Amino acid sequence: MSRTKKHVLAMLAAAPLLLASGHGFAATGQEASKPVKPETESRGEILSLSCAGCHGTDGKSASIIPSIYGKSPDYIETALIDFKNGSRQSTVMDRHAKGYSDDEIHLIAEYFGNLSKKNH
Amino acid sequence: MSISRRDFNKLLLAGTAGSAFGLFGISNTAFAARKRVVVIGGGFGGAATAKYLKKLDPTLSVTLIEPKAAFVTCPFSNWVLGGLKTMKDITHTYTALRNQYGVNVIADRAVAIDPVKNSVKLSSGKVIGYDRLVVSPGIDFKYDEIAGYSKKIADSSMPHAWQAGPQTVLLHKQLQAMKNGGTVVLCPPGNPFRCPPGPYERASLIAYYLKRHKPKSKIVILDAKEKFSKQGLFTKGWERLYPGMIEWRSSTGGGKVVGVDAKTMTVETELGAVKGEVINLIPSQKAGKIAFEAGLANEKGWCPIDPASFESTMHKGIHVIGDSCIAGAMPKSGFAASSQGKVTAAAIVNLLRGQEPISPSLVNTCYSLVGPNYGVSVAGVYRLSEAGIVEIPGSGGLTPVDATDDQLEQEALFADGWYTNICKDIWG
Ligand SMILES: Cc1cc2nc3c(=O)[nH]c(=O)nc-3n(C[C@H](O)[C@H](O)[C@H](O)COP(=O)(O)OP(=O)(O)OC[C@H]3O[C@@H](n4cnc5c(N)ncnc54)[C@H](O)[C@@H]3O)c2cc1C
């Protein structure tokens, strides 16, 4: 959790009345009964949205750029780590991979890996 | 913006959630209905938001307001000028958004926003209510900063071609009509502006066209800046591919444009006049018109936002993305606008469920073509910090200056691949 978010939550916790009204509200909302996505999965999805700009929606490429969809989590994670530490040659992927922590790379790999499993 | 202010806004948001004008801006009776998100502008930011809202939560009602029946992208419009693509190649319709994703696309212009009643008025007179509004209207031009210049002149003799469509066609025709040995004058604006490397990719691809068809011609760049995006890479590419053809003058080196005379096709600089057969003046820019009319822009002409959700700091419930917004370290690019659109779609889905937005991850890659087999790029990965949207240290950056010919060719191929995929990701 980011420092910013922790700070916000701390502030909210210090205002129990406000927090309570927020929750009560959510419970009456139409979407409240829907299962809330676990934080890690959502984070993986948010991170993965960035990839679609070049690799296509859901990582399905329609061009010379390689697809991510259909690759295994292991393959994706290894590729990204190798781009990051420079052991795999690239044009632009090294510059992108350096923007993600190893944990984030793991989440991205899991997200894309599971996406193709889900739809097969 | 300071963190305390942002936290305060969030606190306010959470605190008013149960009240009549709270998080959803409407009374409790509406909660049973489908949540309505309205998006203004079907360009890189707006169309991406509309698509990803439906992708992330198909139960939402999503309306996209865009006056044009088809969108012509600025990306690759320089390739059209160079003869490498056609206007058809860079035109995209809203058919897939409408039919495959269930977005309600309305071909009209938004003329007013009521941030209290949460509604948008269209030029037809129709009024549309929203629970959340996304505004991505792109840019508008400051026509009054240069003596003798006006919108009329831009539309007739000195096109900017900085919004793709008829302007691109006009500039293309002028280049084709120019005699061998003519001068093309290209005037890039000062910062900040849409697509920082764009004017220099344009110079490159016009040079590519001239070298093949009118080799005695030249290009003079009169710049409002002292330096420019990917300067080392462009300069090296120009020397290699178009030696002696492109002359760049910095702002203090005679580049600053102070006036134009359309009759004599002359550009007046601080250090004298320059004549051109073709004059491509790109004026200074500001947020799209509707952003001003709705009170979303600040005195500098751009829209301040909360970087966690791109919600306006001027009006609650309205998110501003793309070129119009102030997105910290991110450049004004189509890639950035679409990345912001996706992050905003995810934030809105969460907010409408009464949840906090997940901390965003943002990205940009801008490819520029120096020649058909000669591509260069700048990349960036961005996160939220206490200082707003910042680039992750050690990530991103430029194509290395010593890149091999193979790498440059690869980047040119990836540029083409990028365009195919991002357009499909947004409008496909
Ligand atoms: C020559 C050139 C080359 C470029 N190359 C690249 C590139 O290679 N890569 C890259 O990432 N970026 C590139 N860009 C930048 C890119 O075009 C912009 O950054 C991007 O279009 C911004 O997206 P946006 O959604 O903010 O605005 P736009 O894409 O301009 O979309 C705005 C839309 O809003 C609509 N609109 C405006 N007002 C209203 C209203 N009142 N009601 C309804 N609709 C309205 C407009 O009709 C328009 O369709 C380039 C730009 C130029 C000029």
Side-chain angles (χ1 to χ4, degrees):
Chain A
M1 189 184 291
S2 72
R3 262 179 74 190
T4 317
K5 203 161 162 195
K6 262 189 200 153
H7 190 47
V8 173
L9 289 181
M11 280 182 79
L12 285 173
L17 245 178
L18 292 178
L19 192 65
S21 86
H23 269 303
F25 164 79
T28 62
Q30 170 204 25
E31 309 289 354
S33 57
K34 276 202 170 179
V36 175
K37 284 187 189 174
E39 166 87 5
T40 46
E41 190 191 322
S42 308
R43 182 86 193 127
E45 186 169 5
I46 289 278
L47 290 164
S48 302
L49 293 178
S50 289
C51 310
C54 288
H55 292 273
T57 311
D58 294 331
K60 292 177 188 164
S61 175
S63 74
I64 190 173
I65 295 177
S67 281
I68 313 175
Y69 187 86
K71 305 242 159 74
S72 73
D74 272 356
Y75 176 88
I76 300 167
E77 185 159 358
T78 308
L80 285 171
I81 295 285
D82 288 350
F83 284 135
K84 185 176 168 179
N85 64 29
S87 61
R88 181 167 167 179
Q89 266 286 317
S90 69
T91 54
V92 76
M93 275 315 299
D94 53 337
R95 290 178 263 157
H96 281 290
K98 288 189 181 104
Y100 302 87
S101 70
D102 290 358
D103 287 347
E104 289 172 331
I105 285 176
H106 182 74
L107 290 175
I108 292 171
E110 288 288 315
Y111 176 78
F112 279 115
N114 291 326
L115 192 63
S116 36
K117 262 187 253 158
K118 249 192 303 197
N119 297 355
H120 271 174
Chain B
M1 188 207 295
S2 80
I3 205 70
S4 58
R5 168 93 185 279
R6 191 160 66 228
D7 287 352
F8 180 67
N9 285 342
K10 285 202 180 129
L11 196 61
L12 252 181
L13 245 150
T16 53
S19 75
F21 298 100
L23 195 54
F24 303 96
I26 39 159
S27 69
N28 282 327
T29 51
F31 290 152
R34 285 165 85 197
K35 298 288 187 300
R36 301 155 310 165
V37 185
V38 173
V39 181
I40 298 178
F44 278 82
T49 313
K51 170 165 167 173
Y52 274 82
L53 278 165
K54 287 300 272 187
K55 199 166 144 47
L56 295 169
D57 187 348
T59 70
L60 291 175
S61 150
V62 178
T63 301
L64 178 65
I65 302 164
E66 164 64 54
K68 295 194 290 270
F71 185 79
V72 183
T73 64
C74 283
F76 277 40
S77 63
N78 290 331
W79 296 44
V80 173
L81 300 177
L84 299 165
K85 295 276 174 193
T86 64
M87 288 299 284
K88 190 165 166 273
D89 292 334
I90 62 167
T91 304
H92 306 272
T93 69
Y94 297 97
T95 313
L97 283 184
R98 200 179 265 131
N99 296 346
Q100 266 164 262
Y101 288 89
V103 174
N104 175 27
V105 184
I106 301 182
D108 202 349
R109 175 170 292 278
V111 292
I113 296 169
D114 187 331
V116 178
K117 289 196 183 132
N118 286 16
S119 65
V120 178
K121 193 174 167 194
L122 308 186
S123 68
S124 66
K126 193 173 171 176
V127 175
I128 304 177
Y130 63 80
D131 297 306
R132 290 259 158 194
L133 176 67
V134 180
V135 180
S136 189
I139 51 163
D140 207 348
F141 299 103
K142 297 181 179 172
Y143 289 108
D144 53 4
E145 283 188 343
I146 292 168
Y149 183 66
S150 65
K151 180 170 189 311
K152 207 169 147 212
I153 285 173
D155 287 341
S156 54
S157 50
M158 297 183 181
H160 50 69
W162 222 242
Q163 279 164 334
Q167 280 277 318
T168 318
V169 174
L170 178 59
L171 179 59
H172 195 199
K173 280 196 180 136
Q174 289 185 343
L175 289 167
Q176 286 174 322
M178 190 180 87
K179 66 172 195 283
N180 187 7
T183 300
V184 177
V185 180
L186 199 164
C187 314
N191 293 320
F193 66 105
R194 156 178 285 185
C195 194
Y200 315 97
E201 181 192 58
R202 176 169 291 174
S204 310
L205 294 182
I206 290 177
Y208 172 71
Y209 165 76
L210 295 176
K211 193 179 169 185
R212 287 167 67 224
H213 300 282
K214 290 149 193 178
K216 283 190 246 161
S217 313
K218 60 175 193 163
I219 301 170
V220 180
I221 304 175
L222 303 175
D223 211 321
K225 301 179 291 301
E226 287 302 298
K227 54 185 173 61
F228 61 88
S229 169
K230 303 178 188 164
Q231 186 163 359
L233 292 167
F234 276 118
T235 308
K236 185 173 172 187
W238 293 343
E239 278 162 14
R240 288 186 63 193
L241 302 182
Y242 319 110
M245 208 165 197
I246 302 173
E247 181 197 341
W248 177 77
R249 295 184 197 165
S250 70
S251 176
T252 53
K256 192 171 165 47
V257 175
V258 291
V260 294
D261 184 346
K263 278 201 199 79
T264 56
M265 287 298 276
T266 309
V267 177
E268 209 53 64
T269 76
E270 283 174 339
L271 301 183
V274 182
K275 266 171 114 54
E277 274 67 34
V278 175
I279 296 173
N280 174 209
L281 193 152
I282 305 161
S284 300
Q285 294 152 30
K286 56 186 175 181
K289 193 161 169 255
I290 187 82
F292 286 89
E293 290 167 352
L296 295 164
N298 69 13
E299 67 294 343
K300 291 214 175 93
W302 304 100
C303 304
I305 46 109
D306 173 346
S309 61
F310 288 83
E311 185 166 6
S312 165
T313 56
M314 318 281 272
H315 288 304
K316 290 278 126 201
I318 304 179
H319 303 251
V320 187
I321 60 168
D323 289 351
S324 280
C325 81
I326 304 168
M330 295 186 86
K332 297 190 186 303
S333 79
F335 200 125
S338 77
S339 178
Q340 292 159 9
K342 293 175 193 177
V343 156
T344 300
I348 286 175
V349 167
N350 274 7
L351 287 166
L352 289 176
R353 291 176 182 171
Q355 298 163 359
E356 276 283 317
I358 297 170
S359 186
S361 174
L362 293 145
V363 68
N364 181 57
T365 312
C366 282
Y367 284 103
S368 301
L369 208 62
V370 186
N373 304 314
Y374 199 119
V376 294
S377 62
V378 60
V381 182
Y382 307 87
R383 284 307 139 66
L384 198 56
S385 84
E386 265 122 75
I389 297 170
V390 295
E391 193 166 352
I392 306 250
S395 76
L398 299 164
T399 300
V401 196
D402 58 358
T404 63
D405 287 353
D406 276 355
Q407 282 173 314
L408 296 168
E409 189 172 351
Q410 274 253 305
E411 293 230 54
L413 289 171
F414 284 147
D416 206 6
W418 163 78
Y419 183 78
T420 302
N421 281 353
I422 197 164
C423 291
K424 203 154 179 280
D425 190 33
I426 296 173
W427 296 280

